[in-house]
Amino acid sequence: MATYVCSSLWRKLRTNLHFLRQFSSRQSSVATSSSRVKALAIGACTFCATGGFFWMKCRPQIRRGGVFPLRTVNAIEVQRARMGKVLWTWADDYSNYPISDKEERFRAFASCEYNGQIYMTMQDFLESVTEENPRPRIGRFQLQDEKVKFMLNNTISKKKESTQLFRTIMDKGIISYTEYLFLLCILTKPKAGYEVAFKMFDRDGNKKIDRREFLLMEEIFRKKTESEKGNEFGSGESSTGSGPTRELDMQVQETTLLRYFFGAKGTDTLDYATFCMFMDNLQAEVLELEFYEFSKGMPTISEAEFAHVLLRYTNMDEDKMKEFIQTVRERMPEEKGINFMNFKDFFQFLNNLDDFEIVLKMFAFADQPMNEAEFGRAVQVATGHILDPHVVHTVFQIFDKDGDGKLSQNEFLGVMKNRIHRGFRTEHLQKPVGWQGFKACVKQELKQK
């Protein structure tokens, strides 16, 4: 890209120089032409140097925007079509297939490719839900058959329940795009929704999930996500049509998650207890990563750091976020600290935000402000969670604008609804990419000078 820009500038510069020579010979004004040539040369060099500087600064945004095309994650559907087994109605022209927000983020963080399909490692997934941008890299790692076989053969048994599953596997395991959608759904599901989720997977009602049922439900996740209709755990019948269920192609590439759930032969099953444990552990693992990023090995984080974690995945601009955090520092100068269990309880409460919103609307309808005691009681009534009073007090210092001890309900709900989208990066959370991202980056750099 930089070479192309420089060569284009040189061609234009050479043309202008030729024209100026002819012009100067006709007009016999060599001195004037020389000054013009020098000015043009200086301007061109300055432009090239400036362009090169901003290219190095803004290259990640341009790359994410598609200047360097990436292979679609839907390659598996193309493979199925070639095999004569098309699932759902995915035999469309993939060159015109619109990329969703979730797929764009998957492609940005996925670091591996195998047989024409893009995969995330477990480390990639954790980074996609805890980091704003992926780590710098040049291309994707091309996996070979031996490497994939080694990964699958060394998959941890699901009997070893742990809140460090993904951190244990890291880059020695792969997950597909449909599994990525499934994992994102898990992160925002309250415990009350676990049973509904399990029943949606368990299509034959035998209280166990087999490999075929899991793959079938993954495709429903994808179809609902791409069409942006309904809830991920909505009715499966609406997605499959009124006719009989179409045959599911079982010749999909095995992944670490499939091997973990269903064993080497694909004949193992998931019961409800194991399913719930996996969901609990994944939520806890992501929260641990966020907590320990700020605690640096200490048992607590400060109230200002808690505010930072709470606000950093929202659509709030950076300057306003700093104001909120500074307000917390000023209102709570003596740090008491927040431990992980209280931290975890609060963020799991946010997964029940829809139920809690009903209570807040009742207070708003009655034109009654909500104080800290009423907030804690409302949380317990609506969601069953009992929040630590100090955490509630910290939340009020963030969202109590005038310091009168009353919660700014609309702002709290708006910001928290953004927060629970953590790894989703919906449209309003995404930074501009491509040319728009380049211009935004230039403005930001100039602003900092």
Side-chain angles (χ1 to χ4, degrees):
M1 181 70 179
T3 304
Y4 173 76
V5 172
C6 291
S7 62
S8 298
L9 288 171
W10 169 246
R11 285 195 297 270
K12 292 181 180 179
L13 178 60
R14 187 171 57 186
T15 302
N16 289 331
L17 289 172
H18 180 67
F19 169 76
L20 287 173
R21 287 196 196 99
Q22 292 179 338
F23 181 78
S24 62
S25 63
R26 294 194 196 100
Q27 301 299 325
S28 301
S29 52
V30 177
T32 304
S33 299
S34 298
S35 63
R36 289 180 181 178
V37 170
K38 290 179 180 179
L40 183 60
I42 293 172
C45 293
T46 303
F47 181 79
C48 291
T50 305
F53 171 76
F54 285 117
W55 167 256
M56 296 303 296
K57 286 283 186 180
C58 305
R59 186 177 179 182
Q61 283 87 342
I62 297 177
R63 188 178 180 86
R64 287 182 60 216
V67 174
F68 305 103
L70 301 176
R71 195 170 297 179
T72 176
V73 298
N74 296 298
I76 190 170
E77 277 77 30
V78 178
Q79 293 173 5
R80 290 172 178 168
R82 291 173 180 170
M83 295 172 63
K85 296 181 178 180
V86 183
L87 183 63
W88 313 124
T89 56
W90 293 89
D92 300 326
D93 181 5
Y94 290 96
S95 63
N96 297 321
Y97 177 74
I99 298 176
S100 69
D101 296 329
K102 294 183 178 69
E103 182 173 343
E104 182 179 349
R105 189 158 181 83
F106 177 86
R107 289 165 59 158
F109 280 84
S111 62
C112 298
E113 188 171 337
Y114 178 62
N115 286 344
Q117 187 172 357
I118 297 171
Y119 292 94
M120 273 185 171
T121 64
M122 304 309 203
Q123 181 178 357
D124 293 337
F125 175 76
L126 292 177
E127 290 176 354
S128 74
V129 296
T130 58
E131 301 294 337
E132 189 65 29
N133 295 301
R135 288 173 296 156
R137 65 169 185 270
I138 302 176
R140 292 193 176 89
F141 183 73
Q142 300 296 317
L143 295 173
Q144 304 300 320
D145 293 343
E146 295 77 10
K147 180 67 173 179
V148 174
K149 184 177 180 181
F150 174 81
M151 288 180 174
L152 296 176
N153 289 339
N154 287 274
T155 301
I156 299 172
S157 171
K158 65 175 179 284
K159 295 180 180 179
K160 297 180 179 180
E161 300 171 353
S162 171
T163 59
Q164 297 187 3
L165 173 65
F166 281 60
R167 283 172 290 176
T168 300
I169 298 175
M170 293 297 282
D171 61 345
K172 296 179 176 61
I174 55 174
I175 57 175
S176 66
Y177 175 56
T178 51
E179 291 169 344
Y180 170 73
L181 296 178
F182 162 67
L183 295 173
L184 286 182
C185 291
I186 287 178
L187 290 179
T188 58
K189 292 305 168 191
K191 289 188 177 182
Y194 287 7
E195 185 175 1
V196 176
F198 183 83
K199 287 181 178 179
M200 287 308 304
F201 277 98
D202 182 20
R203 300 180 70 85
D204 57 11
N206 66 348
K207 298 184 179 180
K208 293 182 180 180
I209 300 173
D210 59 31
R211 187 175 185 270
R212 182 181 182 280
E213 289 173 328
F214 183 79
L215 291 173
L216 181 62
M217 199 62 199
E218 276 190 336
E219 295 296 341
I220 293 176
F221 283 145
R222 169 161 49 197
K223 193 168 185 180
K224 284 183 176 291
T225 300
E226 304 304 344
S227 63
E228 297 183 354
K229 294 179 181 178
N231 184 290
E232 288 90 345
F233 287 143
S235 172
E237 274 62 7
S238 63
S239 297
T240 58
S242 57
T245 303
R246 302 188 184 193
E247 180 183 2
L248 180 65
D249 175 20
M250 299 301 289
Q251 301 302 316
V252 298
Q253 172 58 47
E254 189 173 17
T255 63
T256 302
L257 203 60
L258 286 175
R259 178 66 68 91
Y260 177 77
F261 284 150
F262 307 109
K265 297 181 180 179
T267 55
D268 293 354
T269 57
L270 274 176
D271 57 25
Y272 180 66
T274 306
F275 182 78
C276 291
M277 185 61 67
F278 177 80
M279 296 180 80
D280 274 339
N281 287 343
L282 179 60
Q283 289 185 7
E285 184 164 10
V286 172
L287 289 173
E288 281 182 9
L289 277 177
E290 292 184 273
F291 181 84
Y292 292 125
E293 177 184 350
F294 287 89
S295 71
K296 308 299 183 184
M298 302 299 289
T300 64
I301 61 174
S302 69
E303 290 75 12
E305 289 169 336
F306 175 79
H308 189 177
V309 177
L310 194 60
L311 300 174
R312 67 173 177 169
Y313 295 122
T314 68
N315 61 351
M316 185 179 295
D317 63 69
E318 187 174 352
D319 291 338
K320 187 175 181 181
M321 186 187 304
K322 289 179 179 178
E323 289 180 10
F324 274 74
I325 296 173
Q326 183 60 32
T327 299
V328 174
R329 289 195 178 101
E330 292 172 356
R331 292 180 178 178
M332 307 180 72
E334 296 183 4
E335 294 182 3
K336 180 180 177 181
I338 296 172
N339 63 35
F340 177 69
M341 290 307 300
N342 293 333
F343 177 91
K344 178 182 174 183
D345 287 343
F346 180 81
F347 284 101
Q348 288 187 333
F349 144 69
L350 291 183
N351 289 343
N352 297 267
L353 197 61
D354 289 340
D355 295 330
F356 182 69
E357 184 178 6
I358 297 173
V359 179
L360 285 184
K361 286 182 177 179
M362 293 174 62
F363 273 81
F365 182 76
D367 197 23
Q368 292 293 321
M370 177 174 283
N371 59 32
E372 294 182 19
E374 289 167 338
F375 182 92
R377 181 173 178 274
V379 170
Q380 185 176 0
V381 170
T383 68
H385 288 264
I386 301 176
L387 298 181
D388 181 75
H390 181 63
V391 173
V392 174
H393 179 66
T394 304
V395 171
F396 267 67
Q397 304 317 303
I398 302 172
F399 296 102
D400 178 9
K401 286 185 176 180
D402 50 15
D404 63 352
K406 309 299 181 184
L407 183 72
S408 301
Q409 299 180 24
N410 291 335
E411 187 163 32
F412 172 78
L413 280 177
V415 173
M416 291 305 95
K417 284 183 177 180
N418 288 159
R419 176 57 175 77
I420 62 176
H421 286 296
R422 176 191 317 166
F424 290 63
R425 296 305 191 278
T426 49
E427 195 170 303
H428 63 280
L429 288 175
Q430 291 185 350
K431 293 184 176 180
V433 294
W435 175 244
Q436 295 300 325
F438 178 78
K439 291 194 295 184
C441 182
V442 170
K443 290 180 180 179
Q444 181 65 25
E445 288 295 326
L446 292 175
K447 182 180 178 181
Q448 294 175 357
K449 296 299 181 182

